[in-house]
Amino acid sequence: MRRLHVEESAARNDEGVALFAAGRYREAVPQFEQALAGCRAVLGPDHAATLTVAGNLGVAQVAAGQRRRGLKLVVDNLADRIRVLGDDHPDTMTARDALAAVHRTQGNVDDAVAMSGKVALQRARKLGPTHPDTLTSRMGLALAHAAAGDVSSAHRLLVAALSDAEEAYGARHSYTAMLLECGHAWGLIGTGA
């Protein structure tokens, strides 16, 4: 019976992820809510799967316009991960990166820059500068600087990450393409780069 509940919660989380990826944030929220209720009931509040679903729900709530509830859940999720997993655990760094992105999208640019900087340094130290998660954090840091109006720093940070990605993975790899696309979208890198 327990396995059935866990599988049902995992399926709801997966459906929420798919809806979120499709930009259907309001529809993703109830999927994540049901998955979180199932995870808490069967696995407990501190289980890794419960923490993952709680983070997903918080981000989805922010994207769906439930900013206050979502931000509180993302902040609480980061605190829970620090308490349960430790500050340098990869899942904790993922939660910190998510909170930095929420701050950036909500206009809290000073918090976004500080938090993005911390997680980019943590990931570079723990995973290396060209690990996919580190490249994602470095991109987030560049975007935080751009959102704060520091386009020069944003450009410099993104170009450095792009250079490292090209050297490590090649010019046509998905990580390199992600950074390049981000640079174009934000106007930080010209189309000829």
Side-chain angles (χ1 to χ4, degrees), residues 49-150:
T50 305
L51 295 172
T52 296
V53 175
N56 290 347
L57 173 58
V59 171
Q61 286 175 328
V62 170
Q66 301 169 11
R67 290 175 179 88
R68 185 173 292 148
R69 287 178 58 203
L71 179 59
K72 181 180 179 343
L73 189 52
V74 174
V75 168
D76 290 348
N77 184 254
L78 175 58
D80 289 343
R81 289 184 193 210
I82 290 169
R83 178 181 52 78
V84 173
L85 304 170
D87 193 58
D88 271 350
H89 190 278
D91 290 349
T92 302
M93 289 186 267
T94 296
R96 182 172 283 114
D97 217 16
L99 181 55
V102 166
H103 281 311
R104 185 183 75 245
T105 61
Q106 298 305 302
N108 306 328
V109 292
D110 292 338
D111 290 336
V113 168
M115 193 157 291
S116 291
K118 180 175 180 171
V119 74
L121 285 173
Q122 279 183 304
R123 281 181 163 170
R125 184 182 69 244
K126 186 143 182 130
L127 305 172
T130 59
H131 186 279
D133 291 345
T134 306
L135 290 171
T136 298
S137 294
R138 291 173 69 188
M139 180 179 68
L141 179 58
L143 295 179
H145 277 279
D150 186 359

Side-chain angles (χ1 to χ4, degrees), residues 8-55:
E8 182 179 312
S9 293
R12 289 195 182 280
N13 182 67
D14 291 347
E15 178 64 19
V17 169
L19 289 165
F20 186 90
R24 296 165 57 185
Y25 311 125
R26 290 185 193 278
E27 295 172 59
V29 168
Q31 295 298 321
F32 289 132
E33 287 173 338
Q34 291 173 17
L36 182 57
C39 285
R40 283 181 174 158
V42 177
L43 302 173
D46 292 341
H47 190 277
T50 305
L51 295 172
T52 296
V53 175

